[in-house]
Amino acid sequence: NSRETDFFQKGSLLFGLDTAKKAIQEKESVFLVEGYTDCIAMVKAGYTNTVATLGTACTLNHLKLLSRYAPYLYLLYDSDAAGEKAILRLTQLCWQANMELKVVHLPTGQDPASFLETNNDLGPRIESAQDIFAFFIERLGAGYAIAPLSQKVSKIRQIIEIIALIADPLKQDILLHTASQTFGLPFESVKNELKRQVKSAEAQSQPEPKDAESRPIEETSSIEKRLFCAIINNVELFDPQIDNYVIEHLGEPLNTIAKKLLISKKTHSPFEFDHFFDTLSPNEKEAVSKLLVTYTEPVSKSAYEKLLHTFQKKRWKQIIQSITAQLAVAHTEGDQATIDRLLLRYKKLKETVIPATAQNYTGEGNS
């Protein structure tokens, strides 16, 4: 499991894609497996339109990349809890890619390589592959009958939130029927809950009175959007000890969203995008989705540092004003640790982006 570098980004690379492209385009479908061993086994068995992720979960970047070559994607993940969790997460992402995803079920405890090495026939399982949304409903419905009422309501609403993201009304109705049968609820009740959620989302998306610091995502500067997406696509790039002031000077709604991202990173190690996404309001989810669709390419460490440098150059006055105000408070409270941290931050800025004419802006010599 190799570490990432500027030239090796797991979130955007797929094992075997270079040799599988032609077969994928000819067959208008692609098989996605979890590792190169499964990929090699699939190709040996004649499924030459197979690719694999490289030691990481399938990302939106992967889906968008594959959607350039085929409209259908078949998932062959290990039949264990981790594989199931990965598929459930993909359900929350796949509506953003122009692709239809299907789940190929394997026997418990097996992966594609182990299944094929005993001369099993994969064909019937591919033919009976399950739509990913139907899979999501079925899995979330497991244990529903004995779950407490609060969990039942939560499961149903979670499913309907996903169905609401689908643009095709006919597919929505088909999945609503599946959900109503799975949970033993009248179709009209499920349909009404969908309408309620859509209406609520529309109400929340209506323009609200803007204060001095808030603005719609469309009005956010390009550099802020790119910097935010660089962080969200590879959260490990962001060092809270060094880069925290970046969040302080992002405009809304990115400021609030980025703070939630930091909290999620601190409380969940390793960072889980789906947990972070669940903490967002409907408006914030919409903003993040729009940005991730627009800025799909992952950013290397060096490219991130260039974005950070550009942002600092554009915002150096506001950043210095903030440091000055925080220094005044720290001096008043006798907080030497904070004073040292702020002066170190100022020194780094002074060395990189602050114009020479403004380098005494903070009254550094009086500290």
Side-chain angles (χ1 to χ4, degrees), residues 1-4 8-14 54-56 59 62:
N1 193 7
S2 303
R3 66 181 183 87
E4 292 192 316
F8 179 64
Q9 298 289 324
K10 297 178 184 178
S12 59
L13 296 176
L14 288 164
L54 294 167
T56 185
T59 66
H62 288 139

Side-chain angles (χ1 to χ4, degrees), residues 272-284:
E272 294 183 2
F273 177 86
D274 50 349
H275 175 268
F276 154 69
F277 200 70
D278 285 344
T279 66
L280 303 181
S281 69
N283 281 350
E284 290 167 344

